[in-house]
Amino acid sequence: MLPLSYSPPHPRPNPCPSHKPKPKPQPRALPFPDALRAAAAAAAISLSLLAGNAAGAPSAWAGEQPPEICRGEDDGRDTEVKAEAVTNEQLVEEAWEVVNEGFLPDAGNRPWSPELWMQRKQDILQGSIKSRSRSHEIITKMLASLGDPYTRFLSPSDFSKMSKYDMTGIGLNLREIPDDNGSLRLMVLGLILDGPAHSAGVRQGDELLSVNGIDVRGKSAFDVSSMLQGPKETFVTIKVKHSNCGPVESVKVQRQMAARTPIFYRLEKRDNDNSSVGYIRIKEFNAVAKKDLVSALKHLQNSGASYFVLDLRDNLGGLVQAGIEIAKLFLNKGDTVIYTTGRDRQVQNTFVADSGPSVTTPVMVLVNNRTASASEIVASALHDNCKAVLVGERTYGKGLIQSVFELHDGSGIVVTVGKYVTPDHKDINGDGIEPDYRRLPDLSEARDYLLRCQSKKLS
């Protein structure tokens, strides 16, 4: 939940002479896109870390930073961790430890405590585990005993499929890493093998410096991923620094995938209102949602829209970071978008708007029982900050955060590690958000409601 672009498993590159390779990597929490979690659910294995929808939520990065390395003579291809590197018992204990360190106790419908979980491990490891498939079965049952439908085991093949997630269109995933001065650097943490970026010479550990001549240092991974997006088969020029002691190179990369716009809009006249309303539907939150919404808002404002109707009905989520960025478009600088809480400090965050609103006119947000996760973040942020009235039905109520951890044999586990709390400090998980109106109010009525809301917050 979040943190927020998915990163495939790290390869084992050759380090610079001054760096010693680590003898044994630790389990890594990988941001997990919710669109894939939804697909996994349909496949009976149940980000949005990055992403969130009714089948999951964005991730929080819970692993250590990879050491900076220089590329050696290898081709940069991912090297699989051999299944024989750990015993069957060690693999089960590795999964147990991930839950022990980060699982959110109230996520399941059964009692959980460190003491009960320790007893569970002792019971499981009393005898030897004869096969790798048996260890996978034990992990599956162990996680099921938590009573949390979102915490689950991923086979090596399922985990591998997730590693191919790409929100840039050129086959790479980025992570923000602070430098010694506190500024953000964007590092390539994952590549699709033989994808456009990999084929052009980009490798894991490279630093991304610019996109089409625009300096990206200090920008978020999400914003830069959106900059990399474009029509299929068009080209984007990126400048990368190969690891921490390599050359800087500009490469031209052909986009292979294009995110479809989830934004649909039109200018309308309501029967009982002489003013024009800008109607905008957001089908999902993806890498181009914010960019296309900004264009839609400008077009509708220039066309004379007096207020806006934002339709989030049947929007199950998508990239949670996209939802957070879209909510910021409507909020005042310093307004809270969402809180995240959990046992791990890295999950405990407050997301706030860092600039003024793009829209100052009233907003009405349409919601229903399929408005979930990232959509609920947007709806609650606008509502609790007195920027919008909610209209329709109670929302779905998906407010949990999952992280995906890779285990040493290439399998993985998804673990609920936190939850979202709205700006008004409400836990929406399981309850959803109650709308203010069942049907669209008149503009004057909506204005009065928002004024009362603002007065109440000031008092």
Side-chain angles (χ1 to χ4, degrees):
M1 157 332 11
L2 316 252
L4 295 181
S5 62
Y6 175 79
S7 302
H10 303 310
R12 293 178 174 177
N14 293 336
C16 288
S18 60
H19 291 263
K20 294 182 179 180
K22 295 186 177 181
K24 181 179 177 181
Q26 297 299 313
R28 295 179 292 274
L30 303 178
F32 184 50
D34 255 59
L36 291 179
R37 260 196 294 271
I45 62 167
S46 183
L47 222 217
S48 195
L49 203 269
L50 147 37
N53 63 17
S59 64
W61 186 275
E64 60 183 340
Q65 288 187 10
E68 289 198 8
I69 48 84
C70 287
R71 189 162 57 246
E73 298 301 319
D74 67 343
D75 63 356
R77 289 179 176 269
D78 287 347
T79 304
E80 293 184 359
V81 178
K82 298 299 183 182
E84 293 77 17
V86 291
T87 67
N88 297 323
E89 290 80 11
Q90 287 172 329
L91 191 72
V92 171
E93 188 165 3
E94 184 181 15
W96 178 92
E97 186 63 36
V98 170
V99 173
N100 189 56
E101 290 183 357
F103 178 67
L104 185 70
D106 57 359
N109 57 20
R110 298 170 191 170
W112 188 93
S113 69
E115 294 76 20
L116 289 172
W117 193 238
M118 176 62 74
Q119 184 61 52
R120 180 74 177 171
K121 181 178 77 167
Q122 293 171 351
D123 293 343
I124 290 172
L125 296 179
Q126 282 182 348
S128 63
I129 302 173
K130 301 298 185 183
S131 67
R132 187 50 49 96
S133 61
R134 177 58 182 158
S135 68
H136 290 173
E137 290 176 6
I138 290 173
I139 293 172
T140 300
K141 292 179 180 178
M142 180 175 70
L143 298 180
S145 72
L146 297 169
D148 172 24
Y150 301 109
T151 295
R152 59 203 181 276
F153 174 74
L154 302 173
S155 68
S157 61
D158 290 328
F159 188 90
S160 177
K161 291 174 185 175
M162 291 174 187
S163 72
K164 299 184 186 301
Y165 179 75
D166 173 27
M167 63 177 287
T168 64
I170 61 173
L172 60 78
N173 289 286
L174 302 169
R175 183 189 174 195
E176 304 159 11
I177 294 180
D179 61 17
D180 294 337
N181 299 320
S183 299
L184 291 179
R185 301 164 60 201
L186 291 177
M187 309 300 293
V188 176
L189 285 195
L191 285 161
I192 295 178
L193 295 184
D194 300 320
H198 182 266
S199 298
V202 180
R203 294 295 182 266
Q204 182 169 356
D206 289 355
E207 179 183 359
L208 182 62
L209 303 177
S210 70
V211 175
N212 286 333
I214 301 174
D215 190 341
V216 299
R217 283 170 289 195
K219 295 183 180 294
S220 71
F222 177 81
D223 285 341
V224 175
S225 295
S226 298
M227 292 169 64
L228 292 168
Q229 281 278 358
K232 185 178 180 180
E233 298 183 354
T234 59
F235 287 87
V236 59
T237 300
I238 61 175
K239 182 184 289 186
V240 296
K241 180 181 180 183
H242 295 305
S243 299
N244 68 324
C245 51
V248 173
E249 180 183 10
S250 290
V251 293
K252 193 174 183 180
V253 185
Q254 187 177 34
R255 299 177 175 106
Q256 68 174 6
M257 296 294 292
R260 295 183 178 181
T261 182
I263 307 295
F264 302 88
Y265 65 95
R266 61 181 180 267
L267 192 67
E268 290 185 350
K269 287 277 190 179
R270 290 181 64 186
D271 294 339
N272 57 346
D273 197 339
N274 292 325
S275 54
S276 298
V277 54
Y279 170 86
I280 304 174
R281 183 187 178 200
I282 305 179
K283 292 183 66 177
E284 65 173 339
F285 295 96
N286 64 13
V288 298
K290 177 187 175 182
K291 180 174 60 177
D292 290 352
L293 178 59
V294 169
S295 297
L297 289 170
K298 288 180 179 178
H299 184 271
L300 290 170
Q301 284 176 317
N302 292 337
S303 300
S306 300
Y307 64 102
F308 293 91
V309 171
L310 194 62
D311 193 347
L312 298 181
R313 292 174 298 181
D314 300 320
N315 184 331
L316 294 175
L319 297 176
V320 167
Q321 187 63 34
I324 291 172
E325 295 300 322
I326 281 175
K328 291 178 181 179
L329 295 175
F330 299 88
L331 303 182
N332 295 329
K333 185 176 181 179
D335 284 349
T336 299
V337 179
I338 200 75
Y339 301 103
T340 59
T341 64
R343 291 169 60 204
D344 192 324
R345 288 185 179 180
Q346 296 187 49
V347 181
Q348 300 167 11
N349 287 297
T350 301
F351 296 89
V352 299
D354 44 20
S355 61
S358 299
V359 171
T360 57
T361 53
V363 179
M364 303 182 194
V365 179
L366 304 182
V367 295
N368 65 4
N369 59 8
R370 287 174 56 82
T371 299
S373 196
S375 293
E376 291 175 295
I377 290 176
V378 174
S380 64
L382 271 60
H383 178 265
D384 290 2
N385 286 290
C386 305
K387 295 296 184 179
V389 297
L390 303 186
V391 183
E393 305 170 353
R394 182 183 288 271
T395 63
Y396 181 88
K398 174 63 179 73
L400 295 178
I401 305 168
Q402 282 78 40
S403 288
V404 179
F405 296 82
E406 182 187 9
L407 303 180
H408 280 124
D409 72 337
S411 61
I413 61 174
V414 183
V415 179
T416 297
V417 296
K419 61 183 176 181
Y420 296 110
V421 179
T422 72
D424 280 351
H425 301 281
K426 294 178 181 177
D427 179 0
I428 63 172
N429 190 63
D431 293 327
I433 307 168
E434 183 68 25
D436 305 306
Y437 299 94
R438 293 296 174 182
R439 296 185 178 182
L440 276 174
D442 293 335
L443 176 58
S444 59
E445 187 177 357
R447 276 203 178 105
D448 289 342
Y449 183 98
L450 295 176
L451 286 173
R452 291 195 303 271
C453 176
Q454 293 163 5
S455 298
K456 185 177 179 181
K457 288 185 77 71
L458 292 173
S459 61

